[in-house]
Amino acid sequence: MSLLSVRDLVVTYATRAGPVRAVDGVNLDVPAGSITGLVGESGCGKSTLGRALMGVLPDAGRIAGGQIMFEGTDIAALSAPARRAIAWRRLSFIPQTAMNALDPVQRLRAQMLEVLIERGGLGKADALARASELFHLVGLDPIRLSDYPHQFSGGMRQRASIALALALEPALVIADEPVTALDVIVQRQVLDVMRNLQARLGLAMILVTHDIAVVAYACDRVAVMYAGRIVESGPVADVLENPLHPYTMGLTHAFPDLYGDDMTLVPIDGTPPSLLHPPAGCRFAARCPFVQPRCAEEPPVTDGDHHAACWRIDEAAELRALAAIPATWMPK
Amino acid sequence: MSSLTFILFRLAPGDPTINFLSPSFNEETRAALMKSFGLDKPLWEQYFIYMGNLLQGNLGQSFLQGKPVAVLLADALPNTVLLTLVSLTAAYAFGIVAGAFLAFHRGGLVEAVSIPAALATRAAPEFWLGMLLLAGLAFQTGWFPTGGALSPGREMNSFAERFMSGDFWWHLALPALTLMLYLQGLPLLLMRATMLEVLNDEFIVMAKMKGLSRWSVVMRHAARNALLPVVTAFALGLGASIGGNVVVETVFAWPGIGRVLVTAVQSADYPLAQGAFILIAASLVTMNTLADLAYAALDPRVSVGAKR
């Protein structure tokens, strides 16, 4: 039984032109004690999905359907006070840009104590001790608790954000592009901190990213998102080595290989469809080199731990061979 | 600044002796007066005498009233400072609360009514507002006095006694209200705008994610950050109002710096007018400095000097 189980989740944004279905029928399972990568290009709805899970969609956004089962309850259906009661205590968040995510006019100590005291119910002395312990845990000197966020480097801010996220020992942490703004050396340090703590504390994590390399490095499982839907998911090794969906095949060729093999990067031609009027059937059809007439209808989702939504799953091995040839992805 | 005021007043038309002389006075009397004011000397000499005195803290003697300028200004300054402080504090207290409130109730009927109202009072000329209030609350109903700082015949021995007296505050009410109505638009709109901006900041979203109470989100995080520019505006407003009260002080015959300035200019009382201008300029500069210092105290990203 999964810790988090999202079923047919739909999130819409109200716009002048009508509702935009940023997340459109997402199914996602996150087992306890593992890191699940949520990967996709800009605008595919991955950050919106993360916000919906945290219950803080912008004013224009709302959950228009589906369930978010977390520890046995549908948290999408909870009243605001009940939702607030589990916020941060059971599931917390590591933001994309740690600069703005920390209050610029308050010391880190105040921001840690606020969470530990107001949400954790600790006394001041205990909270102070815990704040030092947390800083220690993420590799920051507790002396720096008396600093303001602007006195931290990007990597340090990200570590402080991790300390904040872990403060109340949640069961699930959602990290939205936690290393995107950092250089690769610091990226790796921060990912190591996250992975070590995740393993040590046995918590589950959703790592939202656009970077396949981050997924390959840090995640146990991966879900590939495209135009508001999850097109493929499964264990990282399976999905990246033997992708079933043509979009995942394209993605793996659009990033440099982690192990430095010489290879040509091949872009996927075209842009994702408008989510205002998404096409019927497979959403990747317009960009897919293997498109067939039946792709105009909704593709079936295969069963099993590694599954994908594609009409040509049975031919996946041949398609992978074709996808490895750059000419396949050339615009027609 | 002091050179500029010196030149400006000398350039302006007007004869300082006009106020003393009835047409029947002859040319000799006028010359004697000019000589006693030092106005018979060449302009450059007048300038050097003036600057020399100024450097020693001597603002000179008023032509018209025969008293030292410093004494006249010291009499008027507390009135202006009190009027300014009371109205500015009231305006900012109201503006901050109302602005924050409006930021939260965006797009509603409340906003549709109150934003134009705030803008209208901000755009309306002070003297017109003052005259309306005078007509309504003083002349028609008689609830408030029509002008001055004390009722006729009342004498106070000390400043303390004067400012503690109900009579003084009763006289202060209408000019302060006028000024407050005029001043509240800026903090209101500023607070609303910065609040709206801050509410979209990532750390506010984070505060909500943390499940913090609405009070914590709004007061500890949003308002604290949104207040920064408003505090600056307050200090600048304080400096500007010391000189900018001219209109309100004139309408309500309030014996402050603004009125001293107006009468001095009207009667070509150079030393008094120059003194008033220098005082106004000095308070502006002081308040600018205070605003910068206050900003450094409130926003840790701004620090004074190399202190860490």
Side-chain angles (χ1 to χ4, degrees), chain B residues 77-203:
Chain B
L77 187 62
N79 290 326
T80 291
V81 168
L82 261 167
L83 172 61
T84 301
L85 270 181
V86 167
S87 50
L88 208 62
T89 310
Y92 274 70
F94 171 79
I96 286 168
V97 173
F101 179 84
L102 285 175
F104 275 99
H105 298 79
R106 216 183 157 196
L109 184 68
V110 189
E111 183 179 55
V113 175
S114 46
I115 296 288
L119 279 172
T121 46
R122 167 102 190 108
E126 290 166 274
F127 64 84
W128 180 77
L129 264 178
M131 275 155 38
L132 281 189
L133 287 176
L134 266 180
L137 296 178
F139 289 115
Q140 292 265 320
T141 61
W143 291 340
F144 290 98
T146 54
L150 289 172
S151 298
R154 286 199 66 159
E155 279 292 332
M156 297 292 173
N157 298 321
S158 68
F159 275 136
E161 190 185 342
R162 177 186 177 118
F163 297 132
M164 298 300 278
S165 73
D167 191 49
F168 177 80
W169 291 96
W170 185 50
H171 278 80
L172 181 70
L174 274 193
L177 182 64
T178 308
L179 208 51
M180 186 218 131
L181 282 176
Y182 179 69
L183 292 171
Q184 51 71 42
L186 176 72
L188 189 148
L189 296 172
L190 189 63
M191 185 66 189
R192 176 175 167 274
T194 50
M195 197 76 175
L196 284 175
E197 203 174 297
V198 169
L199 283 176
N200 282 323
D201 268 340
E202 189 68 15
F203 61 84

Side-chain angles (χ1 to χ4, degrees), chain A residues 163-176:
Chain A
L164 267 171
L166 299 179
L168 305 179
E169 299 177 344
L172 174 67
V173 177
I174 298 166
D176 187 4

Side-chain angles (χ1 to χ4, degrees), chain B residues 55-78:
Chain B
L55 284 175
Q56 297 165 44
N58 182 358
L59 291 169
Q61 294 264 329
S62 161
F63 291 165
L64 192 61
Q65 305 184 48
K67 290 184 193 166
V69 168
V71 170
L72 291 170
L73 289 180
D75 279 346
L77 187 62

